[in-house]
Amino acid sequence: MSSAVTEQIRKEYGAVHAALPASVIEPARRAEAIERLCAQGLPATREENWRYTNLRVLEHARFAPVETQSQAVPPLPEALPGFVRYVFVDGLLRSGAAGSHPGLTVRSLRTPGPSSSAAWGPCPDVPEARLALLNEAFATDALLIEAHANAAPAAIELVFAASAGAQAGASYPRVHVVLEAGAELTVLERHMGAPETASLVNSAVRADVGENAHLTHYRLQQCAPRTAWFDTLTAQLAAQARYHLLTVGTGALTARSTVHVRLAGAGAELALSAAALADRQQSHDMYALSEHVAPNTRTTETFRGIASGRARVAFNGKIAVRERAGGSDSRQSLRGLLDGPEAEVDLRPQLEIYTDEIRCSHGATAGKLDQNMLFYLLSRGIAPQTAQHLLKWAFLEDVVARIECAELRRQIERDLASQMSAAATLKELL
Amino acid sequence: MLKIENLHATVDGKEILKGLELEVPAGEVHAVMGPNGSGKSTLAYVLAGRPGYAVTAGRISFQGQDLLALSPEERARAGVFLGFQYPVEIPGVNNVYLLKAAINAARKQRGEPEVDAFEFLTLVREKMRLMRMDESMLSRGVNEGFSGGEKKRNEILQMLVLEPRLAVLDETDSGLDIDALKIVAHGVNTLRAPQRSLVLVTHYQRLLEHIVPDRVHVLVNGRIVRSGDRTLALELERRGYDWLIGEAA
Ligand SMILES: Nc1ncnc2c1ncn2[C@@H]1O[C@H](COP(=O)(O)OP(=O)(O)O)[C@@H](O)[C@H]1O
Ligand SMILES: [Mg+2]
């Protein structure tokens, strides 16, 4: 079955490769990516880190990049103060503030330009990163964001929208974020699409956070209901770098995000907060590997997921502490809420330790709404449905409250409420 | 106001209330006392309609209507308030939101418009002063990280803001030091009114020195075994419950 799909990929690649822009990725590297992907095969649910992903959608997917560019952009969310916005439609940069932000270089690699100091090397040879190979082979555009040493804090918003014409193929968002030493940057990534779009989106994002630099990275997965969204994020943190990654997923039919963060410099810190809200037949799956390579590194991981209807929410959080990572500290708090007899939540905390003298605290629980809390609210006259909405809301607040930008937080809260069909009952909170 | 006849209730299939009779006229304060495990909290939960507390026989009428026919939220909106023995912490739902939602639920029931934001805050601030609570508590999660005493004061604050017809306070005195007890008692006393009834569930008579009851009932093994005026509480203080447990058996 999988080989039939790789054959399909090879065939589609053969048909389009000559037209793929060399400035985004060199042809030789694309060809190599295809070879590696086909040699390894696509991920399968029998593999332990893909167990919870809905991979069937790949069987009928079209992999060649969408060609139509005439379609209208779906309505965009309100702009956020202080953020400079770049809009990609079906993977291609459509609009973005040209010109320069002080201390910041942002450019699409579709237009050839000076090569960057920070290269995005080939995909690591790990089975979890395979879908990044697919991106490497087909990407039609890539955005390079460089925050220069000790630049003033800046904020960038990237909107990846799938158009109604995207049924005819896939799109491949690709972003490389580089923070030089001491830089401070906020990147907001939104993935969305026209409601009727049933496309495949396969994004690859890489972040290099330099010494003492601080990257705040918000990722919102709000794809159209029939979209299949796959994503591979790799990040490398230098000494004393801080990376705050916060993801909120509400959209898509099937969504899988693979995150691999290497804490490569002493004292580097990762704060990963993720929330998922899935209903109906949705499946939201995230695999996050935090790899402590250097001493005194720190990971704080928080996951809150709610599955309603026949949805499935999975979070597989692995923290690996290598030999030289003494003095490191990791905390993991994973919680799932089962909202309905047919819903499924799978939480998998994993800890792999190759050294002593580390601290870690881990907890994972999945369960139903707390009946004591529910009754307390009812006993104050609150309607059962409102009480349930309120408790789900409160559950996700563990993640949402960490969003420092108040405007963005409100947008996300409104989106979560409307996903829960609770916009009316929770209006006082929005 | 409240009339309970031949009430039998089970929890997890085990009969806890076994033919309880109690009548509380409007404007009166009644104390229900009894040893641990006698069914006091069960009675309070049955009145509030907690799921899992099954009434197998008997009637409860509240202001002439069948209380058992109402859902928990309908009872609250009709004016029944339960002060929990163990108030629940709800992180992520803040106190001010809960108060406002609770007030508006009752107003909606009565066909009144939602409370005016300014009026609401003025009311809440006034009641908080009465309970000597810091205003910063409003923006915190419901009971989140509150000490035992703060939780109890928060229960009384909610009661003062909601102005129920019937308040059932389950061991509101437990875990309070003497100063906090006085504050709580003062709060409760401000609510005494001809059209309102209070049921104080307590284990000790200490609270009753500050909130003087019209009647005292002793609950033993799921039944009211004795009723009297406030001197009964003093007698219980002196003699304990053993002599009544003997009688009930
Ligand atoms: N959830 C429950 N499941 C089984 N038994 C319970 C439960 N809750 C209370 N009980 C039992 O019911 C009896 C009465 O409890 P309770 O009403 O809490 O007493 P009180 O408040 O007077 O101390 C006790 O024997 C207690 O063990
Ligand atoms: Mg009790």
Side-chain angles (χ1 to χ4, degrees):
Chain A
M1 180 272 303
S2 180
S3 67
V5 181
T6 47
E7 274 323 299
Q8 174 69 20
I9 291 172
R10 205 190 277 281
K11 201 173 100 204
E12 291 192 43
Y13 178 75
V16 300
H17 78 276
L20 296 170
S23 58
V24 173
I25 293 167
E26 293 151 28
R29 193 166 148 195
R30 291 182 188 272
E32 192 197 320
I34 283 289
E35 287 316 313
R36 281 173 65 194
L37 180 64
C38 292
Q40 296 178 28
L42 284 177
T45 31
R46 62 174 183 276
E47 296 172 56
E48 75 163 340
N49 291 329
W50 294 95
R51 247 161 69 186
Y52 303 118
T53 315
N54 174 4
L55 293 162
R56 285 192 313 271
V57 292
L58 293 174
E59 290 167 28
H60 313 286
R62 293 270 334 261
F63 296 95
V66 182
E67 283 180 12
T68 51
Q69 268 294 298
S70 58
Q71 308 296 329
V73 183
L76 299 179
E78 220 175 291
L80 295 165
F83 281 78
V84 181
R85 178 179 272 181
Y86 293 81
V87 179
F88 291 77
V89 178
D90 299 335
L92 290 177
L93 182 61
R94 171 71 67 93
S95 69
S100 60
H101 325 288
L104 204 60
T105 306
V106 182
R107 67 183 186 91
S108 157
L109 298 186
R110 236 177 123 80
T111 12
S115 65
S116 158
S117 55
W120 183 343
C123 271
D125 234 337
V126 292
E128 288 73 37
R130 263 173 293 172
L131 290 176
L133 290 169
L134 191 63
N135 180 289
E136 211 162 284
F138 284 109
T140 48
D141 202 347
L143 194 73
L144 174 65
I145 303 169
E146 288 173 294
H148 302 299
N150 304 312
I156 286 187
E157 178 187 3
L158 310 175
V159 181
F160 293 96
S163 76
Q167 330 274 30
S171 65
Y172 296 92
R174 190 172 174 87
V175 182
H176 189 189
V177 184
V178 180
L179 272 71
E180 293 178 356
E184 199 176 323
L185 183 68
T186 299
V187 175
L188 161 62
E189 224 184 291
R190 292 183 202 265
H191 295 267
M192 50 182 292
E196 62 277 26
T197 314
S199 67
L200 170 67
V201 179
N202 180 23
S203 66
V205 176
R206 167 154 184 115
D208 288 292
V209 189
E211 278 186 27
N212 258 310
H214 184 188
L215 174 60
T216 302
H217 190 179
Y218 299 119
R219 311 187 85 199
L220 311 181
Q221 187 279 104
Q222 302 167 317
C223 296
R226 294 193 298 146
T227 305
W229 185 72
F230 291 92
D231 163 66
T232 312
L233 165 67
T234 45
Q236 170 101 359
L237 313 187
Q240 309 298 332
R242 280 183 297 155
Y243 183 29
H244 182 194
L245 173 61
L246 191 147
T247 79
V248 177
T250 55
L253 175 61
T254 178
R256 153 69 181 222
S257 187
T258 301
V259 174
H260 181 178
V261 180
R262 259 173 73 88
L263 296 102
E269 272 185 42
L270 164 68
L272 192 168
S273 314
L277 181 65
D279 199 353
R280 295 174 296 274
Q281 318 268 358
Q282 285 181 298
S283 128
H284 286 173
D285 172 30
M286 185 161 176
Y287 168 77
L289 168 62
S290 170
E291 198 182 2
H292 293 247
V293 182
N296 304 318
T297 43
R298 185 185 174 97
T299 294
T300 315
E301 198 170 277
T302 310
F303 175 77
R304 298 291 180 266
I306 303 180
S308 308
R310 301 181 58 193
R312 163 190 272 181
V313 165
F315 185 90
N316 181 350
K318 180 167 170 180
I319 295 176
V321 184
R322 306 287 177 218
E323 275 137 45
R324 289 212 296 276
S328 69
D329 185 346
S330 70
R331 280 140 214 259
Q332 211 177 21
S333 157
L334 316 181
R335 287 175 59 197
L337 190 59
L338 280 163
D339 180 32
E342 291 185 289
E344 183 177 330
V345 172
D346 301 289
L347 303 177
R348 216 170 148 215
Q350 302 185 67
L351 186 61
E352 220 177 75
I353 307 175
Y354 301 91
T355 183
D356 302 330
E357 291 177 27
I358 62 154
R359 277 181 302 167
C360 47
S361 70
H362 295 241
T365 53
K368 296 185 186 138
L369 278 183
D370 186 304
Q371 296 302 305
N372 289 324
M373 294 185 190
L374 204 53
F375 176 65
Y376 191 80
L377 295 173
L378 300 183
S379 80
R380 298 305 182 243
I382 293 172
Q385 177 147 69
T386 308
Q388 290 190 14
H389 287 159
L390 206 49
L391 292 179
K392 288 196 219 167
W393 164 275
F395 183 78
L396 296 176
E397 275 293 291
D398 286 352
V399 166
V400 176
R402 290 167 201 249
I403 299 171
E404 281 154 28
C405 170
E407 245 85 9
L408 176 62
R409 195 169 59 239
R410 269 193 290 277
Q411 268 189 9
I412 291 174
E413 288 175 340
R414 278 197 296 267
D415 179 56
L416 289 171
S418 87
Q419 289 294 320
M420 293 194 272
S421 311
T425 47
L426 298 181
K427 70 178 190 318
E428 286 279 336
L429 294 171
L430 303 173
Chain B
M1 174 72 69
L2 177 70
K3 190 168 186 207
I4 304 176
E5 294 167 278
N6 187 34
L7 181 66
H8 289 255
T10 60
V11 183
D12 282 346
K14 183 178 155 201
E15 184 163 70
I16 308 292
L17 301 182
K18 304 168 181 173
L20 185 141
E21 309 265 340
L22 181 67
E23 187 164 355
V24 185
E28 292 194 3
V29 175
H30 287 210
V32 173
M33 303 183 70
N36 279 326
S38 58
K40 302 185 298 295
S41 291
T42 303
L43 170 63
Y45 284 143
V46 166
L47 288 171
R50 185 176 190 124
Y53 288 72
V55 173
T56 49
R59 277 175 302 281
I60 304 179
S61 101
F62 168 66
Q63 295 191 307
Q65 56 181 329
D66 177 9
L67 190 69
L68 295 173
L70 303 181
S71 64
E73 67 279 9
E74 287 167 341
R75 297 182 196 193
R77 293 171 198 163
V80 177
F81 179 88
L82 170 62
F84 283 65
Q85 181 173 2
Y86 303 107
V88 182
E89 295 196 22
I90 315 182
V93 176
N94 72 38
N95 281 295
V96 74
Y97 176 86
L98 174 64
L99 284 170
K100 202 167 183 184
I103 282 196
N104 283 333
R107 291 177 76 110
K108 191 172 169 192
Q109 183 79 9
R110 295 193 295 263
E112 296 169 14
E114 294 197 346
V115 65
D116 170 78
F118 179 77
E119 213 175 287
F120 168 73
L121 270 182
T122 312
L123 173 75
V124 171
R125 289 210 174 104
E126 178 203 322
K127 304 300 183 193
M128 285 190 97
R129 271 196 300 279
L130 196 64
M131 295 316 293
R132 310 260 180 92
M133 287 170 76
D134 195 89
E135 263 190 46
S136 65
M137 277 186 180
L138 281 178
S139 55
R140 283 166 63 186
V142 172
N143 294 318
E144 187 182 6
F146 286 22
S147 70
E150 285 172 335
K151 285 180 183 166
K152 295 299 175 73
R153 274 193 266 173
N154 197 27
E155 294 292 287
I156 301 304
L157 172 74
Q158 293 176 24
M159 177 182 79
L160 294 177
V161 168
L162 292 173
E163 301 187 324
R165 291 275 134 151
L166 170 70
V168 180
L169 303 180
D170 191 2
E171 307 239 6
T172 299
D173 50 335
S174 64
L176 293 183
D177 60 32
I178 188 67
D179 292 330
L181 184 72
K182 283 182 182 161
I183 294 168
V184 162
H186 177 59
V188 173
N189 282 326
T190 62
L191 219 57
R192 291 183 85 147
Q195 75 286 8
R196 184 172 291 129
S197 305
L198 291 171
V199 175
L200 303 175
V201 171
T202 181
H203 188 67
Y204 305 103
Q205 83 93 29
R206 193 174 71 144
L207 178 70
L208 307 182
E209 289 172 10
H210 302 279
I211 311 171
V212 179
D214 298 295
R215 297 284 290 167
V216 174
H217 308 275
V218 185
L219 176 55
V220 174
N221 195 19
R223 253 188 236 130
I224 302 292
V225 296
R226 182 158 304 211
S227 300
D229 63 15
R230 58 177 303 216
T231 58
L232 178 56
L234 296 168
E235 190 179 0
L236 291 169
E237 175 96 330
R238 252 193 351 266
R239 298 177 65 186
Y241 290 108
D242 284 353
W243 56 289
L244 286 168
I245 294 173
E247 273 180 25

